[in-house]
Amino acid sequence: MLEYDFMRHAFAAATVVAIVSGAVGYFLVLRGQSFAGHALAHVGFTGATGAYLVGIPPLWGLVLMTLAAGIGMGFMGEHMGQRDVAIGLVLALALGFGLLFLHFFTAFATQATSLLFGNVLAVERGAFWTLLGLGLASLAALAVISRPLLFASLQPELAEAKGVSLRLYSVLFLAIVAIATAECAQIVGVLLVFALMVGPAAAAQQLTSGVGKGVLLSVTFSLAEAWLGIALAFYTDWPPSFWITALSATVYLLAVSPRLSLERGSLRRNHRQA
Amino acid sequence: MNAIEFRNVHLNLGGRDILAGITLDITPGKFIGVLGPNGAGKTTLLRAVVGLLPPSRGSICIFGQLAACGHPGIGYMPQVRSSAAGMHLSGWDFVACVLHGHRLGIPFPGKMGRAEIDRALDLVGARELSRRPLAEISGGERQRLLLAQALVGRPRLLLLDEPLINLDPRHQHGVVDLAKSLQTELGITVLFSAHELNPLLGALDQVLYLGRGQAALGTVDEVITTPVLSRLYGSEIDVVRLKGRIFVMSGNYDMEHDEHRHDDVSASE
Ligand SMILES: Nc1ncnc2c1ncn2[C@@H]1O[C@H](COP(=O)(O)OP(=O)(O)OP(=O)(O)O)[C@@H](O)[C@H]1O
Ligand SMILES: [Mg+2]
């Protein structure tokens, strides 16, 4: 299947995006902000439709809009209850605008579908380089802030006492999430970002107890799911986004299934006896 | 040099003075029990010492430096416990997140860092425990990890906010003994806030008793007396000593016990 240009592009793009979303997703799940990631992706839909209307590349509309919304959410609040309401409001408002843009631009149904559900097989060379640049930038930013971010996520009160600004890292992190979401949306679409950002990370956190190992396993899952999903799509002619979400859900369910955790328990007991 | 110096300190929250005009000196190496009813301002006072709440008037000095976030000599165990309790993360990784946590970079501790974290875990006897996931250990065991976390970075002043909450009497004693041995072996100053005086009696050098915006600092015999406590509670208080225990009574009822029950009710809502 690799003799086709579009397949090579699809695998290359999926590789970049899976690495970014696996790593960023780990922190997203650790901070209990999965809903924020989900909302950012939907906001991206409005950005992309708006971009079609004014005639700039939709990927840029997506990136700019999610970035603005991510930074906005980061500023809005630390408190859980407040945070969910704020996110929900931003989400509804953005989708409303997205609908309005669709209304103005009627010749839009196919683009809308590929925005909503992704179309990895249509990624072009130019788009790939953009994905790579944005991906490297967000990974580098994540690496630079990862230590204080981890501290602020696990022990906020203590982190603040040590001089770590919770708000600053909340804003920086959501900006990184925004870029990762925009990237993910290229592969699986805005509705299914959960599959690559949250599924692999949540499964990895069930199976590991160290941060480093957790990030690596999350990236591994997300890579494997993306690659396998595209390969299965090639052979079955079903949409890649379907396969990726199906694989992501399967991996997560296996990770949390009671049988598996029983086995883990007995492994640990054996280990302790040895 | 004093470990802590308050000069006419006013602490204000939501437009209300929680503590007003406090002046006190705490000399290094002491074990201080911070006591007082719910809402007396124990947490507020500790947060001010850490630098999380700047005084609206007056000044706080910690080892000769004005109190500010990021003071390297302070170890702090907040009353608001982390939400990490249900995670699959290991205790070791949880404690390790504190190490140089304010610096940018990737959280790989390195050899010296690992040794520092193991040292903190050894001090509280939680080295074995720290291999297990947080979700699989008990509340009392988690308390020890939090104490280890406060000890990372070798503080000279340890602030423990309600470390006895939700522990049964046996585990309460364990935690008090542990804090006491840290104070004597490391020669550090410990501020230990609690609802009840009795579990702390054997460990205390001094009490800092808060009430109605005021504070009294001194030995148990100086502070736990009818005149001082009557002033802090704003009503007539009797101090009853019975078999080595001390009861703070107003009429026929035990002030500390009543406060305790109040806390349990609000926690279960
Ligand atoms: N953010 C806030 N805004 C306004 N008032 C506050 C705030 N936080 C606390 N207070 C008030 O300050 C007072 C002191 O609170 P603090 O938490 O210091 O009490 P405490 O002695 O630690 O009580 P507890 O034993 O319940 O932990 C309380 O009356 C509380 O209602
Ligand atoms: Mg308190």
Side-chain angles (χ1 to χ4, degrees):
Chain A
M1 65 189 150
L2 288 179
E3 62 270 24
Y4 298 103
D5 257 358
F6 71 92
M7 285 306 281
R8 283 203 300 275
H9 290 161
F11 275 110
T15 304
V16 171
V17 170
I19 293 175
V20 172
S21 57
V24 174
Y26 183 88
F27 288 92
L28 192 68
V29 173
L30 192 78
R31 290 170 64 80
Q33 286 187 313
S34 316
F35 181 47
H38 185 67
L40 280 178
H42 289 56
V43 170
F45 174 74
T46 307
T49 49
Y52 274 117
L53 268 188
V54 298
I56 60 170
L59 177 57
W60 285 109
L62 204 73
V63 169
L64 290 178
M65 189 76 185
T66 48
L67 203 57
I71 292 171
M73 284 179 194
F75 273 113
M76 256 188 304
E78 286 298 319
H79 295 288
M80 202 53 204
Q82 213 175 310
R83 202 164 71 183
D84 273 9
V85 172
I87 293 172
L89 263 173
V90 170
L91 173 61
L93 190 65
L95 282 180
F97 272 103
L99 181 71
L100 183 70
F101 295 160
L102 272 183
H103 172 79
F104 284 134
F105 194 46
T106 40
F108 194 61
T110 42
Q111 279 97 328
T113 320
S114 76
L115 274 175
L116 289 174
F117 295 103
N119 193 357
V120 65
L121 303 180
V123 173
E124 280 160 11
R125 191 175 288 265
F128 169 75
W129 290 114
T130 314
L131 286 180
L132 184 66
L134 285 173
L136 287 177
S138 57
L139 276 185
L142 183 65
V144 169
I145 68 163
S146 59
R147 184 164 32 207
L149 179 68
L150 189 69
F151 192 14
S153 312
L154 293 177
Q155 267 296 30
E157 176 92 354
L158 196 52
E160 219 180 350
K162 290 284 178 189
V164 175
S165 158
L166 300 184
R167 173 144 299 174
L168 174 69
Y169 286 100
S170 165
V171 170
L172 287 177
F173 178 64
L174 279 178
I176 293 171
V177 173
I179 292 180
T181 330
E183 296 230 337
C184 246
Q186 295 298 298
I187 308 295
V188 287
V190 296
L191 288 183
L192 306 177
V193 160
F194 238 60
L196 277 182
M197 288 268 278
V198 176
Q205 277 178 26
Q206 284 295 318
L207 299 172
T208 56
S209 59
V211 176
K213 282 188 200 134
V215 173
L216 282 183
L217 190 64
S218 171
V219 168
T220 309
F221 279 155
S222 127
L223 265 178
E225 288 162 14
W227 283 342
L228 203 60
I230 294 173
L232 284 169
F234 182 79
Y235 290 114
T236 58
D237 208 22
W238 295 5
S241 299
F242 162 74
W243 282 116
I244 295 174
T245 39
L247 287 168
S248 168
T250 311
V251 168
Y252 178 71
L253 286 178
L254 285 177
V256 296
S257 83
R259 201 178 63 84
L260 223 99
S261 35
L262 268 184
E263 270 172 23
R264 278 209 318 273
S266 67
L267 272 179
R268 202 172 294 128
R269 267 195 299 283
N270 293 343
H271 181 75
R272 220 176 286 150
Q273 277 158 11
Chain B
M1 184 178 29
N2 284 319
I4 302 178
E5 277 180 21
F6 275 48
R7 289 291 169 268
N8 187 31
V9 169
H10 292 247
L11 297 175
N12 192 296
L13 279 175
R16 203 155 60 86
D17 268 346
I18 308 299
L19 293 171
I22 309 283
T23 296
L24 51 86
D25 291 324
I26 291 175
T27 47
K30 290 267 164 53
F31 190 110
I32 316 262
V34 181
L35 293 164
N38 284 128
K42 303 181 291 292
T43 299
T44 307
L45 180 122
L46 294 180
R47 283 172 56 89
V49 171
V50 179
L52 285 171
L53 177 69
S56 55
R57 257 202 282 163
S59 67
I60 303 175
C61 279
I62 311 298
F63 297 114
Q65 263 178 44
L66 274 182
C69 283
H71 194 296
I74 298 181
Y76 175 45
M77 176 169 159
Q79 181 175 5
V80 197
R81 305 291 188 243
S82 136
S83 58
M87 287 184 186
H88 204 268
L89 200 69
S90 76
W92 201 93
D93 281 68
F94 178 62
V95 173
C97 80
V98 178
L99 189 77
H100 307 311
H102 58 289
R103 289 197 212 146
L104 292 176
I106 297 177
F108 289 137
K111 210 168 171 191
M112 273 171 60
R114 300 186 75 83
E116 172 62 22
I117 291 155
D118 286 339
R119 188 196 72 103
L121 285 166
D122 282 338
L123 282 172
V124 302
R127 185 83 161 266
E128 275 299 303
L129 181 71
S130 72
R131 301 208 186 115
R132 288 163 52 193
L134 291 174
E136 293 175 19
I137 64 178
S138 79
E141 291 168 334
R142 206 171 297 130
Q143 216 87 308
R144 272 199 280 160
L145 291 178
L146 289 166
L147 199 51
Q149 221 169 27
L151 288 168
V152 172
R154 310 185 178 223
R156 289 189 283 164
L157 172 61
L158 195 56
L159 308 174
L160 308 176
D161 200 356
E162 308 264 2
L164 302 185
I165 228 158
N166 294 331
L167 296 186
D168 61 32
R170 191 168 65 84
H171 283 93
Q172 289 193 352
H173 260 116
V175 171
V176 173
D177 288 349
L178 185 57
K180 182 68 186 172
S181 71
L182 290 170
Q183 176 235 343
T184 46
E185 278 163 34
L186 305 176
I188 59 181
T189 315
V190 174
L191 259 64
F192 193 119
S193 90
H195 276 109
E196 278 191 281
L197 172 65
N198 287 309
L200 297 182
L201 270 181
L204 287 177
D205 295 316
Q206 287 184 323
V207 233
L208 174 56
Y209 215 111
L210 306 180
R212 294 203 309 152
Q214 297 175 311
L217 176 70
T219 62
V220 173
D221 289 336
E222 287 162 4
V223 174
I224 310 298
T225 59
T226 299
V228 174
L229 292 186
S230 298
R231 177 169 62 87
L232 292 178
Y233 277 98
S235 61
E236 194 58 30
I237 296 287
D238 289 320
V239 175
V240 180
R241 290 173 189 256
L242 190 69
K243 294 187 187 160
R245 290 161 64 86
I246 303 178
F247 298 92
V248 176
M249 312 283 286
S250 167
N252 311 337
Y253 92 4
D254 179 342
M255 295 303 275
E256 289 183 333
H257 244 185
D258 176 63
E259 292 302 340
H260 201 71
R261 232 177 290 143
H262 170 77
D263 195 43
D264 287 347
V265 170
S266 61
S268 64
E269 270 169 5

